[in-house]
Structures are given as C-alpha cells and as structure tokens.
Amino acid sequence: MSKFYITTPIYYPSGNPHIGHCYTTVACDSIARYKRMQGYDVMFLTGTDEHGQKIEEKAKGLGVTPKEYVDEVVLNYKKLWEYMNISYDRYIRTTDDYHVEAVQKIFNELYDRGYIYKGEYKGKYCTPCESFWTSSQLDENGCCPECHREVKEASEEAYFFKMSPFADRIEKLLTETDYLRPKTRAAELVNNFIKPGLEDLCVSRTSFTWGIPVTFDPGHVVYVWVDALSNYCTALGYQNGRYDDFDKFWPADVHMVAKDIMRFHAIIWPAILMALELPLPEHLAVHGWITFNGQKMSKSLGNVVDPFILGERYGSDAIRYHIMREMALGADSSFSNEVMINRINSDLANGLGNLVSRTVAMAQKYFGSTLIKERQEGEFDDELISQALALRERVDEFVDKTQINDALAEIFTLVSRSNKYIDETEPWILAKDEKNKARLATVLYNLLESIRIIATLLNSFMPSTMPKIFEQIGASESDITYENAAKWNVLPKNVTVRRGDIIFPRFDVDKEIDELNKIIGEQKASEQSDSGFKAAPVADEITIDDFAKLDLRIAEVKSCEKVKRSKKLLCLQLDDGLGGRQVVSGIAEWYKPEDLVGKKIILVANLKPVKLCGVESNGMICAADTAEGGAGVIFPDQSLPNGTKIR
Ligand code: MSP
C-alpha cells in the first residue's frame, strides 16, 4: 500500500482560533480523507508551536507559567478540530519531551556537520520592542517596523546556520521542480532572497528562556522556527524513540501553509533538510489568507468568525464547504457572513439538498420507496452518465494538485447537471401514465446513482453530512467505495430510499445577518469580562511625586490623517489648550482618522518629542491594550475644557 504524508503548520497557541485558522486544517483533512478513500496509508499531522518570546510574555501578563498557558490554549485547538471533524492521525506539541530531545539532537548534528557556527548577531535593535531587525526589515525611515521608533546598532552572541551552500539547489527546487505550488510564487522568493545572496540564519537566542536549550551552550535557546519546522520529522520518530514511522512516511507528500510562512517552508526548511542529508518533501502548497476588508483576519470587525458559533448555526460541513470553495490556491479569499449564507443557500440547499430531497421524495411518492426493476433508457441518460463516470478522475487530479476549490466546483457541476436532468426528463409528467413506469424508474435510478457518486466524492470534504445522504438513497457501505465512484449500476436495481430530514436547510439571509449582527454586538460587550482576559500584574510601586512628573491633559483632535507609507501610524493635530500640537500614534489599525476628529483624548503632554516614520510627535495619547493585542483609545468626558490637567 502506498503511503501519503500530509501536514498543516503547527499553530501558535494564541487565544481563540478563528475561521482563518481553520482553512489549512480543513483542506488537509479533506485531502487526507480522500487519500484514505483511495487506499493510501495516510499520516495526517497537525499540532501546536508552543515556544518563543511572545508566549513567554503572554503567560507573564496572565500571571501563569508558559507551560500552564499553552496547556490551556491547546485545548481550544483540539476542541475546534474535533468540532470541525478533523481526522488527524497525530498531534504534535513542541513542548513534548520527545520533540525537545530530537530538536536538540538535530541542532547538535547541524553543528557537528559544520553548518552551525557561533558568531555575533549584529543588527538594529529596538529597545522598547526588545527586537533585532535586519536593515531590509526596517521601515521606510530606517525605524523599527513594529513601533516606528528609532533603532540602534547592537550585537549579541548567537549561533548561525550557513544557508549559502544550499542556494543553488534551493533555486532549482523552486524553479525547476513541482515542489512549490503555485509555482508562480517562485520568482518572488528567488528575486528577494536567493539572488541577493542567502543570508546565514540566526538560529539561537539569548534574550528569552521559553525555548529548547542548546545542550552545549545552555544560555541559548533554539530559534523557534528551527524548533517548529523540525516537527514534521520528529513527529514521525526522527531522532527520538517515541515513534517509528520516519522510514515509512518521510518525505512528506504535502506541506500546506499560508503565504506568510512560505519563505520558511520554501527556503529555510529545504536548507535544513539538505544539511541533514534528508530527502526533501514532494510538495509545498501555499494558499492565501482568509481576509476581512483586505486584511488578514483576526477575531473582530463586523463578521462572526468564531467557527463554533458559525458551526452551531449552519453546521460544520457548511463551514468546511464554504471556506474551501472560496479559496483558490495561491490567492486570498475575502470572508463575509453574507457571502457564506448565500453560498450555503445556492450550492448546498438549492443545489445538492434539493437534488437529494426531490429524488428521494419522487421515489417514495411514485414507487412507495422501492424502485421496480424494469428499465427503459431514454434521451439525456447518456450525457448524465458519461459526465458522472468521468467525474472521479477529474476530482483525483485536482486533489493531487491541491486545488481543492476546483475539485469541489467540479463535483458541483454534476449536481447542476443532475438537477437539469430532472427538468429535462420531467418525472412528474411520466408519473401520470402507468405505461411510463419503467422509464420513470430509470430516471430516478439514474438520479440516485449520480447522487451516490457525488456523495462518495464529497464525503472527504463534508464528512458529517454525506452519511445522511447515503442513508436516504439506500446506499450500503460497499456501494460507496472509491472504486464504485467511477462505476454505474452499483445500487441495486430495486433500491429502497429512506426519506429523512432536510440535509441542508435554506436560510433567510436578512434574518441571519440581523442575528449575526446581534451576536457581534454581544461579543463586543462581553469581550472584557470573558475570553480568559486577566488583568496584568500591578507594576512596581511609585510615589505621588513620581506620578506628579506626568503631565496628563485633556486635548481635542482637530484633524487627523494617516502617516504616508505607514500602516500603523496616524498623525493627529490636537487642541491642547496651549496653542496646539502634533502627535503621532500607532493606532491606525484600529481607528480611522474620521473616528477621532472632534473627540477629546488624554494627552501625555510632557513626553520627550520623537520622530516616528520621519514625522515629529510631541507627546502621546493614552490608550489601553485590548485582549486581542489591539489598542483602545481612552475618551474622557467631552465637556472637559481642552488643556485641563488630570491629577
Ligand atoms: N507557528 C507558525 C507555523 C510553524 S509551521 C512549522 C505559525 N503559526 S500561526 O498560528 O500563526 O499560523 C498557522 C497558519 O495559519 C499559518 O499558515 C497562517 O498563515 C495561517 N493563518 C492564520 N490566519 C489565517 C487567515 N486569516 N487565513 C488563512 N490562513 C491563516 O505561523
């Protein structure tokens, strides 16, 4: 039996997963199920990426240990995968002992082979963000790309991985093989990273401790991406005794990732494997983001994106279908509740659901549920049958090319064709005359056969609902095999249908949008109190004199505009009761200029002026950290005069 190994990225356990996180896992699950149906011995891996500074900080903020924090959040992911019917074969956590041990061995082996050396990390350091940046990462003004403050030259001891020996092989991998999908993305990788000369990669850190220690230099922890990427091998037992599947399953057949982590999988991962002299994965499938208003989705902003809430209302299969159908490999797909409901109505309720319910209802009405064995072929049969019999091969091809949306579109052309066949053959007219009984039975049988093929091929994509269809059309286990999906006359001639509940209900779009808007409102209101938000511990004590050093005042936003070439900064002109001043604030992701004009804010008036993105900022406006890592501006009483001091 041939093997098939497919992986999702391992997720950062941060907060609550949203619908954007579901895409890769749902797509991989569908492929894994399809391959199992084809008879492959499948290994489907997913997991969580649990080390790193961000997690260390997050846990600190919540007053728990990093391990306590990840243990808690991992449960959210596992719960979600169960809910979305994800059939993973293995779940790796990078905090698992066997993985830690294996990563240490991998690091040592790369060191012993001469690919890792100790050096000095020189870079631009942003003190407030505690981050090093390379020159190419800095913003247009040579400032920190995160907070846009000035950076300074700094250095720290670190280990480096030599990338240059692999540049030629990686370029060939990307441009001459079928590794990268879609291949059109190869040019940006080659031009941006390989042609300018592959820089050695800094693979250890000393600035935090929540990571895998380098065994021979314990002040260093292994860079989180080396730790994370290795999971694809360690989960099979590479360099550890926990599993024994490496020889069988490696190399991976498909790594699927979104575009933001393409470079790590297209360049760094192959380089590590080359250094370890391991075979390279067959394919890297890169998809776009599920976006909202053109931005990578986060839990927020006018759409319900909580997969549990959406699943409760529409069913997890409808959600699976929608996100897979919307996303073309390589492109982004914009998410909207309205588009989703319309798609559920058109494709699932009116298309497939209607086909099944009409066919089963007619079989019940005209034959008391059991068809007669007599047959009479007629016009339109051949076209339907040949289209149905050709379907499996086309779906196979799209699944093999990881073009899931095309595979689904293909299956739904047979749904439309079958509905058209009903209109063409007009069974209700045939039913009027007893002498048409054989023809009527043939028409309904052809429809049932077509539905059997459709549902067999859809079963991997919508695994909770298809069994209901099999039940209704009277298909047994042996009828719904992969082999039979390219055969006709599989159901018994005198098949008995069983009418059941509506499989995909139709939704009233306006009503649903109203309901979802209500949910969004409620979510916003309860966000502070639930979602595990815990106040950060109180900072070190200060005296009233310390506080008096702060000059806080009421000021009013007179005008506001985006800082050019910056996604994060707004430039505000304030009336501070002292003649006015300009302040730059990093809140553009959460506020539009027009949201702020005319509003009173709290100004830190005696803050030393700085230049952010080349624009002078004289002070700061007060904002609170939101639970999702955003900022919420503090709006004081509008009646307070500008310039009033806050004590
Ligand atoms: N931990 C790394 C991956 C390491 S793999 C060796 C990571 N984790 S992540 O949780 O931030 O993201 C996991 C995957 O989810 C990434 O492919 C990421 O792009 C994807 N997505 C997160 N939000 C998404 C959307 N809105 N849309 C589509 N995919 C999204 O990166």
Side-chain angles (χ1 to χ4, degrees), residues 125 194 219 236 270 322 341 382 441 499 530-531 543 565 578 625:
Y125 191 71
I194 301 180
L236 298 177
H322 174 68
I341 299 162
D382 285 350
R499 211 167 167 189
D530 62 19
S531 78
T543 64
R565 301 192 306 271
L578 302 162
D625 292 338

Side-chain angles (χ1 to χ4, degrees), residues 28 256 326 391 460 630:
C28 287
M256 191 182 284
E326 280 286 299
L391 181 62
S460 309

Side-chain angles (χ1 to χ4, degrees), residues 47-107:
T48 26
D49 184 0
E50 305 184 7
H51 291 122
Q53 191 168 12
K54 283 207 175 126
I55 289 168
E56 188 175 272
E57 280 167 5
K58 187 101 188 183
K60 200 170 157 201
L62 295 171
V64 295
T65 67
K67 186 65 170 51
E68 282 167 342
Y69 171 70
V70 292
D71 282 351
E72 179 85 29
V73 184
V74 160
L75 297 179
N76 295 342
Y77 280 85
K78 289 199 165 167
K79 206 168 90 195
L80 176 61
W81 300 150
E82 197 184 323
Y83 189 71
M84 297 302 288
N85 227 324
I86 303 298
S87 63
Y88 57 79
D89 297 293
R90 197 157 289 169
Y91 190 99
I92 187 167
R93 298 184 55 183
T94 55
T95 49
D96 288 339
D97 289 345
Y98 74 90
H99 173 78
V100 170
E101 172 199 328
V103 168
Q104 288 179 324
K105 287 190 190 153
I106 290 170
F107 196 92

Side-chain angles (χ1 to χ4, degrees), residues 266-490:
I267 296 180
I268 295 173
W269 183 224
I272 293 174
L273 291 169
M274 285 173 193
L276 294 169
E277 290 181 30
L278 291 175
L280 302 181
E282 294 292 329
H283 301 296
L284 171 65
V286 182
H287 60 80
W289 287 334
I290 296 187
T291 59
F292 180 66
N293 278 349
Q295 301 212 331
K296 187 177 171 194
M297 177 180 287
S298 58
K299 185 177 155 244
S300 65
L301 307 166
N303 259 333
V304 172
V305 295
D306 181 332
F308 292 106
I309 296 181
L310 294 177
E312 260 345 284
R313 295 188 80 82
Y314 309 112
S316 62
D317 270 4
I319 311 300
R320 284 175 66 116
Y321 175 74
H322 174 68
I323 57 180
M324 286 193 283
R325 185 72 201 265
E326 280 286 299
M327 179 87 83
L329 193 69
D332 286 347
S333 97
S334 148
F335 185 82
S336 124
N337 291 139
E338 192 172 342
V339 173
M340 178 184 65
I341 299 162
N342 279 321
R343 190 181 275 294
I344 292 172
N345 280 347
S346 65
D347 296 9
L348 300 182
N350 294 351
L352 179 57
N354 213 10
L355 171 66
V356 176
S357 65
R358 284 208 285 173
T359 305
V360 172
M362 288 190 287
Q364 188 192 40
K365 184 168 170 199
Y366 303 138
F367 292 96
S369 296
T370 302
L371 297 190
I372 54 167
K373 286 191 174 178
E374 285 70 33
R375 292 290 178 265
Q376 188 197 328
E377 285 169 17
E379 212 190 341
F380 312 114
D381 295 3
D382 285 350
E383 201 191 315
L384 176 76
I385 295 170
S386 61
Q387 190 172 333
L389 291 179
L391 181 62
R392 190 188 78 177
E393 197 181 324
R394 297 180 63 88
V395 177
D396 285 358
E397 256 176 54
F398 283 127
V399 170
D400 283 342
K401 289 197 273 178
T402 38
Q403 291 173 221
I404 307 298
N405 63 326
D406 293 322
L408 289 171
E410 201 61 46
I411 299 173
F412 275 80
T413 57
L414 184 58
V415 173
S416 309
R417 183 67 197 83
S418 306
N419 272 323
K420 190 169 152 215
Y421 179 79
I422 300 184
D423 299 339
E424 289 165 342
T425 52
E426 298 178 312
W428 49 92
I429 308 245
L430 294 174
K432 286 187 179 150
D433 194 338
E434 195 56 25
K435 69 177 190 300
N436 292 331
K437 268 269 146 125
R439 177 65 192 141
L440 182 59
T442 311
V443 165
L444 294 180
Y445 183 81
N446 285 341
L447 285 166
L448 291 169
E449 279 290 87
S450 183
I451 294 170
R452 174 185 58 77
I453 290 179
I454 290 165
T456 305
L457 296 175
L458 272 183
N459 199 19
S460 309
F461 305 91
M462 292 193 269
S464 349
T465 355
M466 290 311 120
K468 294 183 197 160
I469 296 186
F470 296 138
E471 165 83 17
Q472 294 204 13
I473 63 168
S476 65
E477 277 294 307
S478 58
D479 297 332
I480 57 166
T481 59
Y482 175 72
E483 286 65 37
N484 283 337
K487 288 189 190 149
W488 204 252
N489 291 330
V490 169

Side-chain angles (χ1 to χ4, degrees), residues 184-200:
T184 44
R185 287 213 179 257
E188 67 186 88
L189 288 164
V190 172
N191 295 337
N192 296 346
F193 300 104
I194 301 180
K195 288 274 188 252
L198 270 184
E199 285 179 26
D200 288 354

Side-chain angles (χ1 to χ4, degrees), residues 9-12 18 20-21 24 49 225 228-229 231-232 257-258 260-261 265 287-290 296-297 327:
I10 47 173
Y11 294 83
Y12 291 129
H18 54 68
H21 290 116
T24 326
D49 184 0
W225 274 98
L229 288 162
N231 95 89
Y232 300 130
V257 303
D260 53 328
I261 58 173
H265 287 80
H287 60 80
W289 287 334
I290 296 187
K296 187 177 171 194
M297 177 180 287
M327 179 87 83

